[in-house]
Amino acid sequence: MITMPFNFWYMEKDKMTLAKKHNFKDKVVVITGAGGVLCAYFAKEIAKTGAKVALLDINLESAQKFADEINAQGYIAKAYKTNVLELDSIKQTRDAIAADFGTCDILINGAGGNNPKATTDNEFHELDLPPTTKSFFDLDKSGIEFVFNLNYLGTLLPTQVFAKDMVGKKGANIINISSMNAYTPLTKIPAYSGAKAAISNFTQWLAVHFSHVGIRCNAIAPGFLVSNQNRALLFDEQDNPTARAHKILTNTPMGRFGEAKELMGGILFLMDEEYASFINGVVLPIDGGFSAYSGV
Ligand code: NAD
């Protein structure tokens, strides 16, 4: 039987993908929030590098659907129902992954998001707001806790559980997902902005803390992306940008929205020991210049 070198095999299979430039064969990549829009996309691309991908989500049905798609293409993936806020749930998943694939090499902390209960109706407080307006003074404590916990604790707890097995492993690293909010808060969403600022800070903390045991830690900070979820908020029925979209585009020097696939180069680069072995503690904006622009 003629055996093909691994590189040849995956390059032939996916000529069009960035993943062909990276080889994570047999690495165990754990991705939280992998039933969601961005992390499902990451999981699908990372699987093409030869990695064994564990898709963790509180919504098993969604993670399962993406794991099935990956398996149907001949790559290796498995879905695990996991609540990133429950240590027991994360530990159960860690044990299941260890039995299925081996211990974690690379952790991507993707579970996160905002909540309407932690969002004001208006950008600015005014003297004459109608009483029905949800102002800063009406924000719900439970909504704020939800957002802080999901984004911050939901990154810290999986890191506590999975990084223990990554200590001393060659090529081990962690990628967190920060946001444009971390640099300058966006209007209306104080809890999400604060939580993502905490993620950037925690990324640096982890990078320093694990620097003697071989685990790098970095983050990406995505700019404004169009996805099926937010398309209706950003474009009207004639496909013209809405007022909010117009504001975003005006403040994005490249004058357009990004796409999920444009995050992939940054993720693969930071994950890859061959390219990024001395990169530790950075938060990489992938934003068309948004975070660099003062608006004038
Ligand atoms: P998404 O809502 O599509 O996915 C988030 C996933 O997290 C969902 O599948 C959800 O079920 C899962 N989740 C929620 N609570 C959980 C819990 N307790 N335990 C386990 N899983 C849980 O979001 P997305 O747009 O794919 O965003 C992914 C990450 O990227 C988030 O951290 C988000 O804050 C960040 N981000 C997104 C954008 C963007 O434009 N979409 C921009 C900047 C940062």
Side-chain angles (χ1 to χ4, degrees):
M1 189 178 85
I2 300 169
T3 52
M4 268 190 272
F6 173 72
N7 281 354
F8 179 78
W9 169 76
Y10 80 79
M11 283 175 76
E12 278 307 290
K13 209 161 180 192
D14 286 290
K15 281 207 171 84
M16 299 306 290
T17 173
L18 257 187
K20 70 175 186 275
K21 297 190 167 65
H22 301 267
N23 183 352
F24 294 105
K25 184 161 167 46
D26 293 336
K27 294 280 187 194
V28 177
V29 179
V30 174
I31 308 178
T32 73
V37 178
L38 293 184
C39 291
Y41 183 80
F42 300 162
K44 288 187 209 175
E45 288 302 301
I46 290 167
K48 293 174 186 170
T49 67
K52 300 171 189 168
V53 183
L55 291 89
L56 280 54
D57 207 289
I58 201 164
N59 180 347
L60 179 63
E61 203 182 324
S62 181
Q64 188 65 56
K65 173 175 158 271
F66 296 118
D68 290 347
E69 283 178 28
I70 292 169
N71 293 148
Q73 290 191 323
Y75 304 112
I76 305 168
K78 194 162 175 187
Y80 300 86
K81 183 173 174 68
T82 312
N83 183 348
V84 293
L85 298 175
E86 302 271 346
L87 269 175
D88 285 346
S89 166
I90 307 167
K91 285 178 180 170
Q92 264 178 26
T93 295
R94 175 204 52 200
D95 294 345
I97 296 170
D100 292 336
F101 291 154
T103 56
C104 177
D105 292 285
I106 297 171
L107 170 66
I108 301 180
N109 284 307
N114 191 32
N115 186 285
K117 283 186 181 171
T119 304
T120 63
D121 283 347
N122 281 44
E123 293 194 331
F124 303 100
H125 196 63
E126 307 287 357
L127 292 174
D128 54 355
L129 285 179
T132 50
T133 309
K134 187 183 11 147
S135 79
F136 168 70
F137 304 110
D138 304 312
L139 290 186
D140 190 287
K141 179 170 173 259
S142 70
I144 293 163
E145 275 170 351
F146 174 88
V147 173
F148 258 92
N149 286 346
L150 175 57
N151 290 279
Y152 187 71
L153 266 189
T155 294
L156 189 146
L157 296 179
T159 302
Q160 270 189 320
V161 173
F162 286 104
K164 211 169 190 175
D165 293 332
M166 293 159 68
V167 168
K169 254 189 163 185
K170 186 166 166 33
N173 70 87
I174 300 164
I175 308 231
N176 295 330
I177 314 293
S178 185
S179 164
M180 285 300 106
N181 289 296
Y183 301 90
T184 311
L186 299 192
T187 55
K188 298 185 179 183
I189 48 176
Y192 185 65
S193 297
K196 288 299 188 185
I199 291 296
S200 291
N201 187 280
F202 182 52
T203 300
Q204 293 177 310
W205 188 89
L206 283 173
V208 173
H209 190 68
F210 286 142
S211 57
H212 293 187
V213 294
I215 307 175
R216 294 181 300 110
C217 183
N218 295 294
I220 61 161
F224 293 87
L225 311 173
V226 183
S227 67
N228 288 337
Q229 278 185 332
N230 66 9
R231 196 174 299 277
L233 283 174
L234 299 176
F235 295 97
D236 65 19
E237 281 163 13
Q238 282 74 49
D239 227 20
N240 298 313
T242 59
R244 185 170 173 80
H246 188 69
K247 234 175 167 177
I248 293 168
L249 292 173
T250 306
N251 283 286
T252 302
M254 287 178 72
R256 65 172 178 86
F257 290 102
E259 293 178 43
K261 68 180 178 193
E262 292 183 292
L263 302 180
M264 213 54 237
I267 294 265
L268 289 165
F269 164 69
L270 291 172
M271 281 170 63
D272 196 327
E273 196 66 0
E274 270 189 51
Y275 293 76
S277 54
F278 202 47
I279 300 182
N280 198 18
V282 305
V283 179
L284 177 67
I286 306 178
D287 65 347
F290 182 90
S291 61
Y293 186 44
S294 72
V296 288

